[in-house]
Amino acid sequence: MEINNSVLQELGEQVVLDEEGNSRKVSLFWQMERAVLVFVRHFG
Amino acid sequence: MLCRQQVAELAKQDDAFTQRNARLVVIGNGAPDVLKPFRKATGYSGLLYTDPTLGVYKTLSLKKSVGSLFGMQSFKQGVRSLKEGFVPGGIQGNALQQGGALIVGTDDTVHYFHRNREAGDHPPIEDMLAACETSDILLSSPV
């Protein structure tokens, strides 16, 4: 599966939470700098 | 504890990414209250987030299956183990979720994408560092 623009767009719309429970849109990560997103299986 | 090992390794490389003008972001799943203990366990001090809805995993089609948990080589053994009543401690639906890595530039260029095929199939850090060495703006000077 290629990561085309629509997939990237959809990914950017996803919201993640920090330790305090604050939400952040994923697209913000690569807005100002190259983002290396590592998705881990689980935190356990 | 594979994921803690993976992130502990990444924690050591955090500077290497910053030197290449890239920002490491670790995203997992589960409730936000697991993030602090995870930081302590891995020594990772960079950007850390969770997606309890699994939206990012679904969007990137990151694998979620028993097959990918055990890997095809040991799949038969895995099934045998389950039949014998051995259930790996704490395995729940979300723990079958596989991970991956994606590197995106400021111009929406995808520089790297890795989808973990099975447990332990982590994106090689060298590959990710190399993917950060390509410039998308001609401002960075050669290392």
Side-chain angles (χ1 to χ4, degrees), chain B residues 30-98:
Chain B
D33 55 15
V34 304
L35 293 173
K36 278 201 180 105
F38 186 72
R39 262 200 205 287
K40 279 214 175 94
T42 58
Y44 176 66
S45 57
L47 296 182
L48 181 66
Y49 295 84
T50 179
D51 180 2
T53 68
L54 302 181
V56 296
Y57 299 88
K58 288 177 194 144
T59 304
L60 295 175
S61 296
L62 296 175
K63 296 180 85 165
K64 185 175 183 175
S65 69
V66 175
S68 65
L69 177 67
F70 293 112
M72 291 315 292
Q73 296 90 341
S74 56
F75 181 63
K76 284 180 191 165
Q77 177 57 51
V79 171
R80 214 173 294 133
S81 300
L82 285 174
K83 280 186 177 166
E84 287 162 6
F86 171 70
V87 178
I91 298 283
Q92 294 149 18
N94 292 346
L96 298 179
Q97 182 65 61
Q98 291 302 333

Side-chain angles (χ1 to χ4, degrees), chain A residues 1 7-8 10-11 14 16-20 24 29-30 32-43, chain B residues 3 22-23 25 27 29 38-39 49-50 57 61 69 95 97-104 106 108 131 134:
Chain A
M1 177 203 153
V7 172
L8 201 61
E10 194 186 330
L11 177 67
Q14 301 304 310
V16 292
L17 306 173
D18 67 14
E19 285 131 289
E20 313 300 323
R24 185 174 191 177
F29 291 126
W30 63 79
M32 300 298 288
E33 56 200 343
R34 189 173 303 198
V36 180
L37 307 174
V38 177
F39 305 98
V40 297
R41 257 185 67 210
H42 56 79
F43 285 124
Chain B
C3 292
R23 176 73 56 197
V25 183
I27 299 174
N29 58 85
F38 186 72
R39 262 200 205 287
Y49 295 84
T50 179
Y57 299 88
S61 296
L69 177 67
Q97 182 65 61
Q98 291 302 333
L102 178 73
I103 300 182
V104 189
T106 54
D108 289 358
T134 59

